[in-house]
Amino acid sequence: MGKRLALGLSMLLATLLLGYVMMSSLTGNVALSILGPGASDEQLEAKNTELGLDDPVLLRFLNWLLGALRGDLGVAWFAPEPVSQLVAGRVPVTLSLVLGAIVISLLIAVSLGLLAGVRRGWVDRVVQLVTVTGFIIPPFLLALALILVVSVQLRWLPPTGYVPLDRDPAGWAASLILPVASLCLGVVAGVTQQMRRSVIDIVDKDFVRTLRSRGLSERRIVWTNVLKNATGVSFQVLALQAIGLLGGAVIAEQIFAMPGLGASAISFTPRGDLPTVMGILLALSLIVFAINIVTDFVIALLNPKVALT
């Protein structure tokens, strides 16, 4: 477990360093953007010094990293609030989207994959058709279709916006249904295919035949042996899909006008707001890091033969 944590922290540090260097090369004349075209050369020079832009990039990154370790992410260059406060207000939105999509996708994919792998025949063909459809339809197109049908024509759910959980739990759930549904389809397709292959492979193994020969019912074998062994691999696929889900969440936040990390990244990156973009990158990286650690634990619980080294 220690090696996995060390590897994850190393990748997190490399991601932050790469992001800082790339953003530093794209910031341009930030002082001019902040002060406006009427600023004098002395004012621009003083602003650059105030922002620390006169220092080498690696020194600025080290200062930013030390500040982040103390919980100080600096002040946004183009927003009147600390970066930590800005990011903290947007994390619940993105986290609700990603975790909601992961949980719903896992439940649907495991059920479909198990059903297709055990029943085979026409059930398997129908599930295959559903998964292929999931691969074909882009998430943004599904999102637009859901808004048009469910929100505009049927008026069942709000088309855009986000309601905080602590303000109105029912409204929070209603505001998440359409964006989560648009994110789930592709994930369900990928995990269902893996789950189906794993189930088909396991039901043909010798230990399953042995259990059948001892008189155990097919239902008991499926629920106590096949499901447990097949779900571990599906979790690994789901962990990889979770990283892609963050990219999908950026698009979903834009389409559904949700104030999450992705929408903020799109807003602040073109303006060269380095502290804010780095705060968002740190939050997204920590979400990916946490998802992978939790996934490793779940896989180890499902299959004790997998060592957490």
Side-chain angles (χ1 to χ4, degrees), residues 18 31 33 42 58 64 88 113 121 124 131 144-145 154 160 177 184 212 215 223 243 279:
L18 181 62
S33 302
E42 291 76 13
L58 292 180
W64 175 85
D124 187 23
T131 56
L144 295 175
L154 300 176
T160 58
I177 291 176
C184 281
R212 289 194 183 105
W223 286 109
I243 300 173

Side-chain angles (χ1 to χ4, degrees), residues 13-35:
L13 184 62
T15 301
L16 294 175
L17 176 59
L18 181 62
Y20 196 95
V21 172
M22 290 178 64
M23 274 303 300
S24 296
S25 64
L26 298 174
T27 50
N29 195 339
V30 177
L32 180 63
S33 302
I34 295 174
L35 299 177

Side-chain angles (χ1 to χ4, degrees), residues 116 123-133 192-193 196:
V123 175
D124 187 23
R125 289 192 288 274
V126 170
V127 172
Q128 291 273 47
L129 180 63
V130 171
T131 56
V132 170
T133 304
T192 298
Q193 287 281 20
R196 171 186 171 274

